[in-house]
Amino acid sequence: MPQIVEFPERPYVGVRGTITMTTFGLVADRIGEVVGWLAERGHTPAGAPFLRYEAINLPEDRLVVQAGVPVAVPVEGEGDIFAASLPAGRYATESHHGHPDQLFGVIEALLKWGAEQGLAWDMTEQDGTEHWGCRLELFLTDPRAEPDMHNWDTDLQFRIA
């Protein structure tokens, strides 16, 4: 069952890309690179890596997505690795155990639940594109420790307006 959780501002570093539903790897596969970049500078992740959806246009199969890694204190970016913060606020959260391919149904259920609760998302729509203030998929399972994607744990966090 989804829950509403209040989160503080959370600093992170990440990379951004414009992708399609079949080219997620162009951004998601860079999480290891960002973790390595942090390690080279003496920093460790302060939580689970995530994908942050900035813009979603499913009819045109175009998404603007970030791959981010939280840090304990703000870190300066370099090159295409940038520093930012996830905004503080109330988030609708849901957990999923299983293959990431199953997330579409979990997301649909969370959005439906939010509508039933009368929640307004931190999202605007323009010309068929959803622009999200903060919509996250957090990857709680380290694929090096658990290579079977059917055993992965993922949290969804969607900011409420």
Side-chain angles (χ1 to χ4, degrees), residues 14-125:
V15 294
R16 175 184 291 111
T18 301
I19 59 171
T20 68
M21 292 300 285
T22 58
T23 61
F24 258 92
L26 295 175
V27 175
D29 291 349
R30 295 192 64 197
I31 289 172
E33 173 189 342
V34 174
V35 170
W37 182 89
L38 283 169
E40 289 172 4
R41 286 150 183 79
H43 299 282
T44 57
F50 58 84
L51 293 179
R52 180 177 182 179
Y53 294 80
E54 291 183 17
I56 302 171
N57 185 320
L58 291 180
E60 294 184 12
D61 194 22
R62 188 181 70 247
L63 303 98
V64 179
V65 179
Q66 299 176 15
V69 178
V71 291
V73 295
V75 174
E76 263 192 59
E78 179 182 320
D80 66 342
I81 296 178
F82 63 87
S85 290
L86 301 174
R90 293 177 350 132
Y91 288 74
T93 68
E94 180 65 288
S95 297
H96 169 67
H97 177 80
H99 199 288
D101 286 350
Q102 300 166 338
L103 281 171
F104 192 76
V106 179
I107 291 166
E108 280 187 331
L110 178 59
L111 294 172
K112 180 181 177 193
W113 175 84
E116 292 167 353
Q117 302 300 312
L119 300 178
W121 302 112
D122 181 10
M123 185 268 293
T124 57
E125 189 171 333

